Amino acid sequence: MVVGGADGCRTGWVVCRRDTDGSLDIRVVRTLAEACEGLSILAVDMPIGLCDVPRPGRACEGEARALLPKKASSVFPTPCRPALACTTHAEANATSKKLGVGLNQQTFHLFPKMREIDALMRVNEKLRRVVHEAHPELAFARMNGGKPVLSKKRKPEGFAERLKLLARHGFKWKPVTVSGAARDDVLDAMAVCRTGMLIAEGTATRLGPARERDRYGLPMNIWF
């Protein structure tokens, strides 16, 4: 099986593909649909499945935060579906607040990527067997014996620590410039690619109830 991991970046998506021989191919593509091409499994660092109201929220997110003590803030709150339809932060925040809780600017910046994956999954049911939601910090914690990596990935020491963990688990990468993506985006794509490999092997862990779906039948689970 050829598996992959994808993380949003400033020019699209950075994708790490792992072939059956363990070789890695890292590139940037414009759309998530391109990232899916030729893959049996793609793990993506982006929410799949949205609640109609912001609270109590998705069960998988609460479980993820509980597994990441001192790193729980890395699990961003997923917007409710009505808020995602808004085109400005002020409108999205007001809509979300009216339904229970406000929405921060950081989450709003992810709206274009969230809309892209949501639209793709809603129209293509076959991709629901291919694309799975993942989270890089959960992936790194699993590589680290279940302990969250507390160093910051954008700092030299945090980058180096995560790079060593990836290499220890068969994902060796000599840092080079990947046009259109920051180095930490590449690390995250590699981390969730390992999650994709574990999903393909049947050894990944799923957070959230297996049958939990949103109004369009999209799963609300995080894998690691």
Side-chain angles (χ1 to χ4, degrees), residues 59-96:
C60 59
E61 289 177 32
E63 292 176 25
R65 293 186 188 102
L67 292 172
L68 294 170
K70 299 183 180 180
K71 202 76 178 179
S73 61
S74 67
V75 184
F76 297 156
T78 299
C80 61
R81 191 168 287 284
L84 190 68
C86 300
T87 56
T88 67
H89 174 250
E91 183 187 3
N93 183 42
T95 298
S96 185

Side-chain angles (χ1 to χ4, degrees), residues 140-151:
F140 284 121
R142 178 163 179 162
M143 286 183 252
N144 197 38
K147 299 177 182 178
V149 180
L150 300 181
S151 56

Side-chain angles (χ1 to χ4, degrees), residues 142-185:
R142 178 163 179 162
M143 286 183 252
N144 197 38
K147 299 177 182 178
V149 180
L150 300 181
S151 56
K152 296 183 178 181
K153 62 188 174 186
R154 294 184 181 179
K155 299 287 186 179
E157 62 275 14
F159 182 86
E161 186 175 4
R162 287 166 175 78
L163 199 61
K164 287 179 182 178
L165 283 172
L166 285 164
R168 195 183 305 160
H169 289 85
F171 285 76
K172 294 182 180 180
W173 179 55
K174 183 179 180 180
V176 295
T177 299
V178 178
S179 181
R183 294 198 316 169
D184 55 287
D185 293 333

